[in-house]
Amino acid sequence: LACYLTGYVNSQTLQISAYNGAIFETYIISEIIKSYTNNGKDPRMRLYYYRDTNQKEIDLLVFYDNKVYPVEIKKSANPGRVALKNFDVVNKFGVEVGNGIVLCMMENIMSIDENNYYINLGKTQGLLPKTEIIPGEEIKMGSNIKVYISKVDINSKGALILLSRKHFGFIKRLF
């Protein structure tokens, strides 16, 4: 609908438009809202957009199980650390902060920061905290690895899929 209303008649026009990132972000958010609604949960009680007077913005704040999870949505395949630049503002909310996630179009594993990785899961992204890799293991960026899905907090487009390489379920399946 947004493409039609803006006059984009085909996907090529949208891809080169100045609004392609905003439309991508809107699509992802609408899918997350639909997921909550379809699962009988009120998204208005759990999902928020954040912007403060200093123009710091976070695309989505997910409140779940007394924690807040910051989510940034980028059309880019390689958003880099700049995508995390405003995640620190959630520390002032007075609730426990869960791992942040960047939903993007990346194809390979990439380190976000010293604690987290971007992981491509086909049409979505997952988060593999470095605390969830096997001690002493080094993961090469761009490599393919096996992981265990340890937690799924949102059931749409991978808003928060936590992965592990040392979870009991992962180790059990190896043997």
Side-chain angles (χ1 to χ4, degrees), residues 66-79:
N66 296 321
K67 290 185 182 178
V68 61
Y69 298 90
V71 178
E72 190 65 28
I73 302 166
K74 297 292 181 195
K75 176 111 177 28
S76 167
N78 188 8

Side-chain angles (χ1 to χ4, degrees), residues 6 8 12-24 75:
T6 55
Y8 301 140
Q12 292 81 18
T13 306
L14 175 60
Q15 289 293 333
I16 60 172
S17 78
Y19 296 107
N20 68 355
I23 290 174
F24 178 74
K75 176 111 177 28

Side-chain angles (χ1 to χ4, degrees), residues 69 99-101 116 125-129 132 148-153 160-164:
Y69 298 90
N99 290 329
I101 189 166
N116 302 292
Q125 304 293 319
L127 182 69
L128 175 63
E132 290 299 316
Y148 183 82
I149 298 175
S150 60
K151 188 173 184 182
V152 179
D153 283 336
L160 186 58
I161 299 176
L162 297 175
L163 308 171
S164 176

Side-chain angles (χ1 to χ4, degrees), residues 45-127:
M45 303 302 295
R46 301 171 191 251
L47 306 177
Y48 298 90
Y49 168 79
Y50 177 84
R51 176 180 267 164
D52 64 17
T53 56
N54 296 322
Q55 301 302 311
K56 287 189 174 187
E57 174 189 70
I58 299 176
D59 294 332
L60 182 63
L61 295 173
V62 179
F63 285 85
Y64 179 80
D65 201 21
N66 296 321
K67 290 185 182 178
V68 61
Y69 298 90
V71 178
E72 190 65 28
I73 302 166
K74 297 292 181 195
K75 176 111 177 28
S76 167
N78 188 8
R81 292 181 58 90
V82 71
L84 306 172
K85 70 182 178 192
N86 295 327
F87 280 10
D88 63 335
V89 301
V90 298
N91 293 324
K92 69 181 182 182
F93 295 162
V95 296
E96 188 177 347
V97 179
N99 290 329
I101 189 166
V102 177
L103 297 173
C104 63
M105 303 290 286
M106 183 191 53
E107 293 186 22
N108 297 310
I109 297 170
M110 184 175 128
S111 182
I112 300 174
D113 58 22
E114 63 276 357
N115 297 315
N116 302 292
Y117 292 104
Y118 293 106
I119 305 290
N120 177 32
L121 299 174
K123 292 184 178 182
T124 190
Q125 304 293 319
L127 182 69

